[in-house]
Amino acid sequence: MDLREAGWLLFGLLFASGLARGRMEEATAAAFRRSSERGTVRVVSARSGPVGELLGRSSVVSMDGAAMSIKALPLEMGSPHGPGALVRLFCISLASSDLAGIPLRQVEARIPDVRVDPGALMRDARLKIRSAGRGVIRASVSEAALASMVTARMPALRDVVVTVTPTAVEVSGRMALFGAAGRTTAVLRPRVTVSGDLSLEVIAATMNGNPAAAALVRGVEAAMNPALSPSRDLKLGLTLALRGVQLRPGELVLEAETAPIGGSRKSR
């Protein structure tokens, strides 16, 4: 048995004893607590069976947080090279939390085949990711959050109110733009662009109760879009692209795909 194999046997025994699983839970929780000054965090690591544990594997690591304010997901990237302890599925769930300044009702992330640096985990209780597979993130955006996003894109629109129905997004407010001023209402249709961003298309608009001029509509669309660019706005530390958008009463549900991280190896 060479030194590398002995090291893996030792790590597998630590995993089987529960020490490595405890370190993984501790490191994950600590990373999220460092990233937010408020809120609650709970992390659990599921057993992967005797053989999986002896190989330094965990089947699922689940992190649940609530009422947090996170500037960016605390994903610490390590070198893609070297041994890695494999987590078959890493699940992140945030409820009623702010992410990069955007208030979200719910965020669910599922990232498969996450390889972590076992040395950093056992030595420093830090979760350093060597590589990960392609994951999926779902986020529920409230009407209030959408109003904040529209206001940020269009400072000329004041007192913004957003209403989301199963068929459209309605935005109303006071506007002074391109020589037009008064109360405006726009009916928007969300769509996913070819670059994976969220765009809001104006399908009807009024100014002071009258149909808005075409030039005003074009100006509003140009100023407002992209309404959300996941990689730019959510600051998850991952390369993201939207792949779906769904309208529900009172909320917009976005689904994005994360690009793989690091090397393609799934295990040690």
Side-chain angles (χ1 to χ4, degrees), residues 186-207:
V187 179
L188 311 174
R189 179 184 294 121
R191 64 181 182 86
V192 177
T193 69
V194 293
S195 58
D197 294 335
L198 174 67
S199 179
L200 297 174
E201 177 187 1
V202 180
I203 57 176
T206 62
M207 174 66 77

Side-chain angles (χ1 to χ4, degrees), residues 9-253:
L9 178 59
L10 174 60
F11 185 74
L13 292 172
L14 290 173
F15 223 94
S17 71
L19 178 59
R21 285 198 313 277
R23 283 284 194 175
M24 190 172 294
E25 293 170 5
E26 176 188 344
T28 305
F32 276 88
R33 290 193 184 102
R34 286 194 299 269
S35 69
S36 178
E37 295 180 353
R38 61 183 177 88
T40 59
V41 179
R42 183 178 70 93
V43 180
V44 294
S45 176
R47 295 173 63 93
S48 60
V51 175
E53 292 197 345
L54 284 173
L55 293 175
R57 296 176 179 175
S58 178
S59 56
V60 180
V61 172
S62 300
M63 177 270 164
D64 295 295
M68 305 187 76
S69 181
I70 299 175
K71 293 182 180 179
L73 282 188
L75 299 177
E76 189 174 352
M77 302 301 171
S79 168
H81 308 294
L86 179 66
V87 177
R88 289 293 184 187
L89 184 63
F90 204 106
C91 300
I92 300 171
S93 177
L94 298 174
S96 302
S97 298
D98 292 351
L99 185 56
I102 300 175
L104 300 171
R105 285 183 176 174
Q106 189 73 30
V107 179
E108 302 284 347
R110 296 170 64 85
I111 305 174
D113 300 323
V114 179
R115 292 176 60 247
V116 301
D117 181 342
L121 186 68
M122 298 306 299
R123 182 182 61 251
D124 305 317
R126 299 189 73 88
L127 194 68
K128 287 190 176 183
I129 297 175
R130 292 199 185 280
S131 64
R134 193 178 302 276
V136 175
I137 296 178
R138 290 175 60 87
S140 171
V141 188
S142 68
E143 292 171 331
L146 288 170
S148 298
M149 291 162 56
V150 170
T151 301
R153 298 287 181 272
M154 295 189 60
L157 188 61
R158 306 293 180 86
D159 302 328
V160 176
V161 176
V162 174
T163 303
V164 182
T165 72
T167 58
V169 177
E170 183 176 294
V171 177
S172 62
R174 294 184 298 106
M175 176 183 284
L177 186 66
F178 306 119
R183 190 76 185 175
T184 183
T185 299
V187 179
L188 311 174
R189 179 184 294 121
R191 64 181 182 86
V192 177
T193 69
V194 293
S195 58
D197 294 335
L198 174 67
S199 179
L200 297 174
E201 177 187 1
V202 180
I203 57 176
T206 62
M207 174 66 77
N208 296 324
N210 299 313
L216 179 61
V217 172
R218 289 194 298 269
V220 168
E221 286 187 337
M224 188 166 46
N225 290 313
L228 179 70
S229 179
S231 293
R232 178 195 67 193
D233 298 328
L234 293 182
K235 299 178 175 63
L236 297 177
L238 301 169
T239 301
L240 290 171
L242 285 181
R243 68 181 192 183
V245 55
Q246 182 180 3
L247 292 171
R248 295 179 181 173
E251 66 180 5
L252 192 69
V253 180

